[in-house]
């Protein structure tokens, strides 16, 4: 939670009007949400086009700790006011208390697993299956469903961060002429919609590890 809140300005004074940080306001007051994405009219119209219904609106997709809110695996749906859960109604009240000039509209979080393929080669001094498990463990810990970055909308995994993470967590990938290749599916278009709940799970990971005689360079 602290890692997540550290993304916001250090001089933030808990007033949501400051820099329009309604995401911070909701996240701070509802810290157990499994997923939260808050966006404004500008981003909404970049994704789905302009509409007079979007004027002076905040848009929210969320899932509480008990998972009582509706989610989707493909289509985005707007949630009618009469169908809001207790958590969603409480979020509206909190936002209205900070700034009652906004209308709040809720959308279903759309589950969107991030597909990552890792192909690695390590020395024969290692067991390939063990290295594979370490790679999977590192990726799930950093980008899995419960990771801090996955609890936000527009989660975008950077190649440089994945390579750095794996080299840090799996030392075998840094020795001698060991090597690896990472492919993140739809990297250039990922997180285009703010309601996408993007995370890595075991089913979205494809990891293969081979072993080879690798000599560590040394001075003669």
């Amino acid at each position: 939670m602290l890692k997540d809140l550290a993304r916001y300005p250090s001089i933030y004074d808990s007033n949501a009007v400051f820099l329009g940080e309604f995401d911070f306001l909701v996240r701070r007051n509802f810290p157990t949400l499994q997923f939260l994405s808050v966006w404004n009219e500008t981003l909404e119209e970049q994704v789905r086009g302009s509409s007079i219904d979007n004027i002076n609106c905040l848009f929210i997709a969320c899932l509480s700790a008990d998972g009582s809110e509706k989610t989707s695996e493909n289509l985005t749906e707007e949630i009618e006011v009469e169908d809001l859960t207790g958590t969603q109604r409480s979020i509206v009240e909190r936002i209205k208390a900070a700034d009652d000039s906004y209308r709040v509209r809720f959308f279903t979080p759309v589950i969107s697993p991030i597909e990552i393929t890792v192909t690695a080669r390590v020395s024969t001094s290692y067991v390939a299956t063990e290295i594979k498990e370490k790679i999977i463990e590192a990726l799930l810990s950093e980008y899995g469903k419960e990771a801090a970055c996955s609890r936000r909308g527009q989660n975008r995994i950077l190649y440089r961060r994945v390579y750095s993470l794996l080299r840090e967590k799996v030392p075998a990938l840094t020795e001698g002429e060991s090597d690896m290749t990472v492919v993140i599916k739809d990297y250039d278009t990922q997180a285009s919609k703010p309601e996408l709940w993007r995370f890595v799970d075991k089913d979205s990971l494809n990891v293969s590890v081979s072993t080879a005689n690798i000599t560590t360079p040394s001075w003669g």
Side-chain angles (χ1 to χ4, degrees):
M1 183 63 182
L2 289 177
K3 179 180 179 181
D4 198 45
L5 294 180
R7 301 172 56 248
Y8 298 90
S10 60
I11 59 174
Y12 187 85
D13 63 358
S14 300
N15 181 350
V17 179
F18 178 75
L19 293 183
E21 291 288 6
F22 288 94
D23 181 279
F24 182 98
L25 176 78
V26 177
R27 201 172 296 280
R28 180 167 182 171
N29 286 279
F30 300 87
T32 62
L33 292 175
Q34 294 186 59
F35 174 76
L36 173 68
S37 181
V38 181
W39 65 100
N40 59 18
E41 175 186 350
T42 300
L43 181 54
E44 173 65 18
E45 297 195 342
Q46 288 176 358
V47 175
R48 280 175 278 269
S50 60
S51 169
I52 59 173
D53 292 335
N54 297 334
I55 296 175
N56 216 36
C57 270
L58 286 175
F59 304 85
I60 299 177
C62 69
L63 183 65
S64 58
D66 62 12
S68 56
E69 288 75 26
K70 184 178 180 181
T71 62
S72 172
E73 294 186 355
N74 40 50
L75 298 177
T76 302
E77 299 178 41
E78 182 167 1
I79 302 171
E80 300 297 331
V81 173
E82 59 270 21
D83 294 327
L84 296 180
T85 65
T87 296
Q88 290 168 332
R89 294 180 188 277
S90 295
I91 290 173
V92 173
E93 291 175 2
R94 179 63 64 175
I95 290 174
K96 293 290 187 181
D99 188 337
D100 62 5
S101 67
Y102 282 93
R103 293 184 296 119
V104 182
R105 297 168 60 187
F106 283 86
F107 289 81
T108 56
V110 177
I111 298 173
S112 179
I114 302 172
E115 296 184 25
I116 299 180
T117 298
V118 180
T119 305
R121 181 188 65 190
V122 297
S123 168
T124 51
S125 61
Y126 294 96
V127 179
T129 54
E130 292 180 359
I131 299 303
K132 177 179 178 178
E133 287 304 312
K134 289 182 178 180
I135 291 173
I136 293 173
E137 180 182 353
L139 291 173
L140 291 179
S141 177
E142 188 73 13
Y143 303 112
K145 196 173 186 178
E146 298 179 0
C149 66
S150 303
R151 295 169 64 185
R152 298 191 299 268
Q154 296 185 286
N155 181 21
R156 191 166 192 252
I157 297 178
L158 301 178
Y159 272 100
R160 62 179 175 81
R161 176 56 189 149
V162 173
Y163 278 105
S164 177
L165 173 73
L166 293 180
R167 291 188 179 108
E168 175 188 348
K169 299 296 184 180
V170 189
L173 296 173
T174 66
E175 296 183 2
E177 296 180 359
S178 59
D179 201 6
M180 66 174 159
T181 300
V182 176
V183 177
I184 305 173
K185 186 177 180 181
D186 300 329
Y187 175 81
D188 294 329
T189 59
Q190 65 176 284
S192 59
K193 295 181 179 180
E195 69 273 16
L196 294 184
W197 184 13
R198 296 179 56 76
F199 55 84
V200 174
D201 61 24
K202 285 190 175 182
D203 292 335
S204 68
L205 279 177
N206 181 15
V207 179
S208 60
V209 179
S210 61
T211 58
N213 290 319
I214 296 174
T215 303
T216 303
S218 60
W219 293 101

